[in-house]
Amino acid sequence: MSQIVVEKKVLNENQKIAAELRDKFRENKILVINIISSPGSGKTTLLERTLERLDKSKRVAVLTGDLQTENDARRLAQWGFPVKQIITGGTCHLDAKMIEKHLADWPLENLDVLIIENVGNLVCPTSYDLGEHCKIVMLSVTEGEDKPLKYPSIFVKSELMLLSKVDLLPYVPFNAELAKQNARSVHPGIQIIETSCKGEGLDAWMKWLEEKLAAVKVGETVSA
Amino acid sequence: MHELSIVSSVIDQLDELKKQHNGARFTRVGLRVGELAGVDVDCLRFGFECVIKDTPWEHLALEIEEVPRRQRCPACNAEFRAENWATACPQCGEEATILIAGEELQIAYVEVDE
């Protein structure tokens, strides 16, 4: 009996494709963000508000993942930016190969920002690198304050947490300070922006996005 | 519930590794799973049994090493286990400590029958 030391990542194949994508994104100076949350936290609504506010000179594209239906792509297409739906057909996450496949016929040199809306799920998408610059986790105030403690991986891996639906705070027993404290305890450096589709925090979110994009354009290494 | 895709990735890599080792008979595979890997170890074991059943890998044993989350303090250099998500440094109180272990999802080794 002898032992062979392997020491390889289990998701090596995904990692390889993600690294190739990351190189392509860097070459073309595209900011790529991967938004992850539970189903119903408001990812698509946030994207609607974002696309609505974006300067039309910005070249933005959206990949949106769901198990079934083209509904989200239809909702997002009305703002005039290219949107593609990735139907996973039951798979609970997006992987790098799906991103590669859906980008194959999009000219990357014509793009400034690629927004990836992952499948609504706080667990599985965490394990798959898509070549993005950063992951963003969204938590809505109709969920529990302890979500960061229950699903720590995604909060650890996300650079930014969007606390959404804050316009509902007066009506729900949600302790926003505790939620933020929980997020910071699992990820001490996490940035947090409170948002609502009614408008609160959207300026701060757009500013965050603009600053990220500016950093990518000057070739700064944004975290990977 | 992506443990089944994770098991498939393990088996794909083992197929490749077996080729590289001229068809050697692997008896055991050792995985390393961090507590922040987003993988449920029981689901992984169950998925593993399902995937190898009635295949040439049927007799492969699975060993999982679970890796706890560890942090390093940038102020005093203490390294500690972050229990119950308490990431502040137990030695000096610094809050912005750095993650150094717990995200692993690796194939550590295989054992070969010779």
Side-chain angles (χ1 to χ4, degrees), chain B:
Chain B
M1 274 311 292
H2 60 313
E3 281 74 8
L4 216 51
S5 353
I6 288 178
V7 172
S8 307
S9 305
V10 170
I11 297 296
D12 286 347
Q13 289 202 46
L14 292 184
D15 282 332
E16 195 51 41
L17 201 66
K18 194 178 165 85
K19 267 188 235 156
Q20 289 168 19
H21 288 85
N22 305 318
R25 206 177 92 82
F26 298 160
T27 51
R28 182 184 297 270
V29 58
L31 303 185
R32 199 175 289 130
V33 181
E35 69 175 312
L36 292 171
V39 173
D40 184 281
V41 169
D42 291 330
C43 285
L44 197 61
R45 284 185 212 282
F46 179 68
F48 186 81
E49 291 309 319
C50 297
V51 168
I52 61 172
K53 195 169 184 292
D54 300 325
T55 77
W57 292 109
E58 189 156 34
H59 300 291
L60 186 70
L62 170 68
E63 191 166 302
I64 298 177
E65 180 198 345
E66 296 181 60
V67 185
R69 177 179 190 170
R70 291 186 67 77
Q71 302 279 121
R72 181 187 296 126
C73 173
C76 74
N77 270 326
E79 286 185 10
F80 59 95
R81 157 103 170 90
E83 247 160 321
N84 299 318
W85 316 117
T87 49
C89 176
Q91 205 160 285
C92 73
E94 168 68 43
E95 287 186 357
T97 60
I98 301 152
L99 178 79
I100 52 169
E103 291 189 302
E104 298 80 354
L105 181 54
Q106 294 161 340
I107 303 176
Y109 66 87
V110 286
E111 273 179 16
V112 189
D113 194 8
E114 283 171 329

Side-chain angles (χ1 to χ4, degrees), chain A residues 29-161:
Chain A
K29 298 193 173 162
I30 307 172
L31 170 67
V32 183
I33 57 172
N34 178 3
I35 306 182
I36 297 173
S37 81
S38 323
S41 299
K43 293 185 294 302
T44 313
T45 303
L46 174 86
L47 288 186
E48 286 184 303
R49 298 289 89 84
T50 306
L51 296 180
E52 177 186 54
R53 279 159 183 259
L54 267 174
D55 174 2
K56 296 292 178 257
S57 68
K58 290 263 178 339
R59 299 164 306 173
V60 181
V62 182
L63 287 177
T64 176
D66 275 303
L67 270 62
Q68 292 297 345
T69 83
E70 299 261 350
N71 291 355
D72 280 5
R74 264 202 293 276
R75 266 174 75 183
L76 294 170
Q78 57 179 315
W79 308 107
F81 296 104
V83 179
K84 249 190 217 180
Q85 180 85 44
I86 303 181
I87 295 177
T88 64
T91 306
C92 50
H93 57 268
L94 297 179
D95 64 33
K97 208 178 225 160
M98 298 179 196
I99 303 298
E100 187 187 42
K101 188 177 146 207
H102 284 81
L103 286 181
D105 58 351
W106 264 355
L108 291 184
E109 60 276 16
N110 295 336
L111 219 51
D112 296 314
V113 183
L114 174 66
I115 303 175
I116 301 173
E117 180 189 353
N118 220 309
V119 178
N121 180 336
L122 277 181
V123 187
C124 315
T126 311
S127 304
Y128 293 83
D129 184 359
L130 305 180
E132 75 274 346
H133 288 97
C134 60
K135 292 185 172 65
I136 296 174
V137 63
M138 183 181 253
L139 170 65
S140 68
V141 305
T142 54
E143 301 169 55
E145 301 91 349
D146 55 355
K147 276 248 166 104
L149 306 179
K150 286 180 171 167
Y151 302 91
S153 312
I154 186 56
F155 289 87
V156 167
K157 287 187 181 167
S158 296
E159 193 170 317
L160 173 69
M161 169 171 115

